[in-house]
Amino acid sequence: METQAQPDDPDITKAETLTGTDKLKFTPVEVPEPGVKPNRKGIGKLRWGIATLLFFGVLINYIDRSSIAVAEGHIRDDFGLSAAEMGVVLSSFGWSYVLMQIPAGLLLDKIGIKWVFRVATIMWSLSCFLTAIISGTGLLILARIVLGIAEAPIFPGAMKMTGYWFPRSERGTATAVFDSGQRLSNVIGFPLVAVAVVSFGWRGAFVAMGLLSLAYVIVFFWKYRDPKESYRKGLMKQTELTYIREGGAQDEDAPRPNPLSNLGYILKQRKVWGMSIGLGCAGYTQWMLLTWLPGYLQSEMGMNIMSSGIFTALPWLIAVAVEFIFPGWLLDHLMRIGKSGTFVRKTFIIVGMLIAMTVMGAAFTDNVAWALFWITLGTCGITISFCVTNSLPALIAPEGGVGATGSVMNTVNNLIGTSAPIVTGFVVDITGGFNGAFIICGILLGIGIFFYTVVLGPIVQIPTAEERKAAELAAASE
């Protein structure tokens, strides 16, 4: 059985043939022509259970990494740390997290999602328990470094998982589901950790985080299998497996390339750099808001700590709703009625970046209501661009290379993003306010639009190195 690509469809680059050598027997599922809404009744919904599992993984992951910020004052008092020393502790997570992005992606491509995630979830649970029992600053830093290593695979793995489990026409909603976990962590994570710190002390709070993570470990071991394994074990309908495969999902049984040579090949691809730097320019603004928005509301808008906490969460809460409506449901709807994937996805990304640029409006007002309006609007724009971009590695990566492609993107994004707190701090010290910081965000978002539009190009799958060589030899022989 073969799925034929339409000759004039730029978003489908390969026809996939299922031969008699496959261990599985496939029953054909109607693949609708462009412009026809697919009939998904009776296909099965296991893929959405996997998306929900991934959502909770991202949510717990982000609560774990941010919980130290809530307990920061108590930890400083217990260990007698200065603000500078505590800054080193707070940043230590990022050291290993960024350094391990690419190795994590290579492991995901070589070993697979199931075992990399199993080991990673165990490690991040142990890191929480270790933090609860440490007795010195050095061990505290070590626990944070372990947490950074353990959590490095989460986003490259999430991108690879959606590539396995979802047809191209459902990637928008699937990505919105897992991406919303990091945004909701800003809304519910801080209050939950704060309650735990007040109720049990900071060490007890980390024990609670460890238990929460351990519960996720058990559920992940119990529930997660790759699509074909799920089918073989009777967990998944045959029609659902065929539906996602014929809809453009990547094959988890595809030959796994040599990790280092594949990484070198991916690093040479213009599309990867356009996507990665474009996201990094959006990531700069996201990091700036995550780290400095409470301080801005307190120092320039005169809010107290409680009010600044509430109004810091508000933009992200609204952004989650926007994420499910626009880059989630609407994007997938447009794909299902036959719109070009490249046109739809790039339109959402660019419109999102343009909306995000409105964050500069906060630089030109002293009114707290207007400042929050512009910040909330900008946050929604960033969320739209982030959500769509997080679906791209599974769409453009060469077969077997989603993990490496996603990890390159995440590395570049975090390298650019983590500069935002430092740059913002210098700008505030030099100018005495945040106006310049918001303007810098707008400029970088404009640069990001250039990389998304000019450098990224069409959103099509990059051929593998072997496919490219074969095509070049065939062209040379003609």
Side-chain angles (χ1 to χ4, degrees):
M1 179 177 66
E2 184 174 291
T3 59
Q4 298 290 341
Q6 300 296 319
D8 59 347
D9 186 355
D11 300 306
I12 302 177
T13 58
K14 291 193 247 181
E16 181 183 57
T17 302
L18 303 174
T19 70
T21 60
D22 278 10
K23 294 181 180 179
L24 303 173
K25 302 296 183 183
F26 289 84
T27 300
V29 170
E30 181 182 358
V31 180
E33 294 295 325
V36 180
K37 185 176 180 179
N39 179 11
R40 291 174 288 164
K41 291 183 178 179
I43 286 175
K45 297 180 180 180
L46 182 61
R47 64 195 184 280
W48 294 111
I50 295 298
T52 303
L53 180 66
L54 188 53
F55 161 79
F56 280 106
V58 173
L59 178 66
I60 294 169
N61 190 281
Y62 269 77
I63 292 174
D64 282 350
R65 71 177 66 175
S66 62
S67 56
I68 195 169
V70 179
E72 175 260 340
H74 296 267
I75 294 172
R76 281 180 61 187
D77 291 343
D78 275 8
F79 291 167
L81 301 178
S82 67
E85 289 169 335
M86 193 64 207
V88 173
V89 172
L90 292 172
S91 67
S92 56
F93 167 85
W95 307 341
S96 55
Y97 182 76
V98 172
L99 288 175
M100 284 301 297
Q101 283 297 306
I102 289 177
L106 299 182
L107 284 172
L108 285 161
D109 287 339
K110 189 65 179 177
I111 299 173
I113 295 168
K114 184 172 73 173
W115 281 104
V116 172
F117 264 49
R118 284 179 171 183
V119 173
T121 53
I122 291 171
M123 283 181 62
W124 90 53
S125 300
L126 291 175
S127 174
C128 291
F129 290 123
L130 178 61
T131 304
I133 63 173
I134 47 91
S135 58
T137 306
L139 288 176
L140 180 58
I141 291 173
L142 176 62
R144 298 298 293 175
I145 289 173
V146 171
L147 185 65
I149 294 170
E151 296 192 350
I154 188 69
F155 260 80
M159 297 165 195
K160 192 174 182 74
M161 200 181 294
T162 54
Y164 281 174
W165 275 95
F166 288 89
R168 297 167 71 95
S169 63
E170 294 179 350
R171 297 276 174 85
T173 302
T175 304
V177 170
F178 81 74
D179 187 71
S180 66
Q182 66 165 313
R183 303 183 198 289
L184 280 174
S185 71
N186 301 321
V187 178
I188 66 176
F190 285 120
L192 283 176
V193 176
V195 169
V197 171
V198 171
S199 302
F200 311 116
W202 73 266
R203 293 183 187 273
F206 278 97
V207 170
M209 295 301 103
L211 291 172
L212 181 63
S213 297
L214 187 59
Y216 184 76
V217 171
I218 295 169
V219 174
F220 188 86
F221 265 76
W222 176 35
K223 288 292 187 181
Y224 185 79
R225 303 291 185 275
D226 287 335
K228 286 185 180 178
E229 185 181 358
S230 296
Y231 171 72
R232 286 192 293 267
K233 290 182 177 294
L235 304 172
M236 183 185 197
K237 289 185 178 181
Q238 181 178 331
T239 50
E240 185 173 13
L241 178 60
T242 309
Y243 171 71
I244 65 176
R245 291 291 306 282
E246 291 189 343
Q250 293 216 355
D251 183 2
E252 70 264 32
D253 289 340
R256 291 171 179 172
N258 177 277
L260 291 178
S261 62
N262 191 48
L263 175 63
Y265 177 70
I266 287 169
L267 289 172
K268 295 176 184 177
Q269 305 306 311
R270 172 175 168 170
K271 288 184 185 304
V272 174
W273 288 104
M275 170 184 69
S276 302
I277 298 176
L279 184 65
C281 291
Y284 179 95
T285 302
Q286 177 168 274
W287 272 81
M288 183 271 190
L289 293 175
L290 285 172
T291 55
W292 279 104
L293 182 53
Y296 162 76
L297 293 175
Q298 292 169 34
S299 63
E300 292 215 357
M301 296 298 162
M303 290 188 182
N304 58 36
I305 293 176
M306 183 63 71
S307 296
S308 69
I310 294 171
F311 285 104
T312 295
L314 182 62
W316 300 108
L317 182 61
I318 295 172
V320 169
V322 169
E323 183 172 31
F324 276 99
I325 295 169
F326 293 102
W329 173 82
L330 181 57
L331 187 149
D332 284 349
H333 172 72
L334 294 172
M335 292 293 296
R336 284 195 291 270
I337 64 174
K339 302 298 181 181
S340 162
T342 290
F343 176 77
V344 171
R345 290 188 175 94
K346 291 189 78 170
T347 298
F348 272 81
I349 290 171
I350 301 311
V351 169
M353 295 290 277
L354 289 170
I355 294 173
M357 290 179 73
T358 62
V359 75
M360 288 191 295
F364 303 100
T365 182
D366 295 325
N367 182 283
V368 65
W370 276 109
L372 285 169
F373 171 79
W374 295 121
I375 290 168
T376 301
L377 193 60
T379 302
C380 291
I382 292 166
T383 300
I384 292 170
S385 296
F386 251 82
C387 182
V388 180
T389 305
N390 279 334
S391 72
L392 297 189
L395 296 168
I396 73 168
E399 196 75 52
V402 177
T405 303
S407 65
V408 169
M409 183 183 80
N410 217 27
T411 299
V412 174
N413 171 40
N414 279 284
L415 284 173
I416 297 174
T418 51
S419 68
I422 301 170
V423 172
T424 301
F426 276 106
V427 170
V428 172
D429 281 345
I430 293 169
T431 65
F434 285 83
N435 293 353
F438 285 114
I439 292 171
I440 290 171
C441 289
I443 292 170
L444 281 172
L445 288 163
I447 293 172
I449 291 173
F450 169 81
F451 277 92
Y452 275 129
T453 53
V454 177
V455 183
L456 173 60
I459 300 172
V460 295
Q461 187 174 20
I462 299 167
T464 64
E466 292 74 17
E467 289 169 340
R468 182 160 285 175
K469 286 179 183 178
E472 290 171 351
L473 288 173
S477 63
E478 291 179 354

